Amino acid sequence: MSEPAAVKVHGLHKAYRMGKVELHVLKGVSFDVAKGEFAAIVGASGSGKSTLLHLIGLLDRPNKGAIELAGRDTGKMGSSGRNAIRRRDVGFVFQFYHLLGELNVLENIILPAMVDSSAAGWLGRSGAAKKRAAEIADRLGLGERLKHRPSELSGGERQRVAIARALMNRPGLLLADEPTGNLDSNTGRQIIDQMMEFNRSEKQTIIMVTHDQSLAARAHSVLKLQDGKLAD
């Protein structure tokens, strides 16, 4: 029996009410992303790229259509089931790093592990979690920065911390929304290099939204959104 796709999207529709007007952002989007694939989503501003990523990451619900993650129909899940998948199986990287300024690099990275543990449970797994965080940080070139706070880091270093945090719980799926949008082109290429290394070495499934066609061209597949639909 073949392995289910990491992500399977079928007939996805999403609309938002803006006063008396209903804005249709997605209009019947369907595609699959295989396990271990690096897929890029491109399109003009307002084409629905980020909306699509948020739906796949279970941050929002579609008006119509189905989303399966590793063979699980998320539309049939309640809030607790969706929350569990979002915490354990999906990692998020955004254009804005969303790091906590009062925490150092190590503390920012281990946050997902802390959130997924009870107070008693954390006492038993904190050592392993810190070791895991330090190992990821080292692979991303942050080994000497573990005690630094975000204000002491460059933009590229902050984004590496965000990537490390997203990978902390070993999610099957990494979703990246314009991860290089706040970076210069050289730093942006370095960030993509490191994401691709995790994709190669750990078969990490990645879906990345980007406006940069040169970065998208490095992905295994490119999905182009146009007026709420996938273009040919």
Side-chain angles (χ1 to χ4, degrees):
M1 185 174 181
S2 61
E3 190 173 23
V7 177
K8 188 176 183 65
V9 171
H10 180 71
L12 215 60
H13 289 257
K14 184 62 180 178
Y16 296 97
R17 175 70 63 179
M18 301 181 68
K20 296 182 179 181
V21 178
E22 191 170 59
L23 178 64
H24 291 265
V25 181
L26 298 177
K27 306 169 185 176
V29 174
S30 299
F31 63 89
D32 293 358
V33 175
K35 182 179 180 180
E37 184 177 354
F38 191 153
I41 301 175
V42 301
S45 178
S47 60
K49 303 187 300 299
S50 293
T51 296
L52 177 56
L53 207 68
H54 290 175
L55 292 174
I56 295 170
L58 309 185
L59 297 173
D60 198 358
R61 290 182 180 267
N63 297 108
K64 183 180 178 182
I67 300 170
E68 293 184 15
L69 299 181
R72 295 168 294 185
D73 186 350
T74 62
K76 297 179 179 179
M77 295 179 178
S79 296
S80 60
R82 290 166 62 87
N83 289 340
I85 288 180
R86 197 164 54 241
R87 289 196 316 270
R88 300 169 188 169
D89 301 331
V90 183
F92 296 92
V93 181
F94 300 100
Q95 178 177 353
F96 300 101
Y97 322 118
H98 300 302
L99 303 178
L100 296 183
E102 65 273 21
L103 302 183
N104 63 31
V105 167
L106 182 65
E107 291 164 343
N108 268 285
I109 294 173
I110 64 173
L111 275 176
M114 294 181 67
V115 169
D116 201 37
S117 302
S118 64
W122 179 244
L123 291 175
R125 63 177 301 206
S126 61
K130 290 176 181 178
K131 181 179 178 181
R132 161 74 176 166
E135 289 173 349
I136 303 172
D138 191 57
R139 289 183 62 179
L140 290 168
L142 295 165
E144 302 299 320
R145 300 296 230 168
L146 295 180
K147 299 301 182 182
H148 289 70
R149 296 186 188 277
S151 61
E152 300 173 292
L153 306 178
S154 68
E157 288 171 331
R158 294 181 194 184
Q159 191 60 291
R160 290 185 183 98
V161 176
I163 292 171
R165 179 183 59 193
L167 294 171
M168 179 65 203
N169 282 347
R170 294 183 173 85
L173 176 63
L174 181 67
L175 302 178
D177 193 356
E178 297 284 6
T180 66
N182 280 338
L183 307 173
D184 63 79
S185 58
N186 184 55
T187 304
R189 284 192 296 271
Q190 293 174 11
I191 291 295
I192 299 303
D193 286 345
Q194 290 173 320
M195 290 174 61
M196 293 187 73
E197 173 55 29
F198 275 95
N199 170 255
R200 285 190 296 266
S201 64
E202 300 187 10
K203 306 300 182 184
Q204 177 70 60
T205 306
I206 301 174
I207 302 179
M208 174 183 69
V209 162
T210 182
H211 66 279
D212 190 322
Q213 295 288 342
S214 66
L215 296 181
R218 301 179 63 186
H220 299 148
S221 62
V222 180
L223 305 168
K224 184 177 180 181
L225 274 176
Q226 185 173 355
D227 298 325
K229 299 180 181 179
L230 286 181
D232 296 328

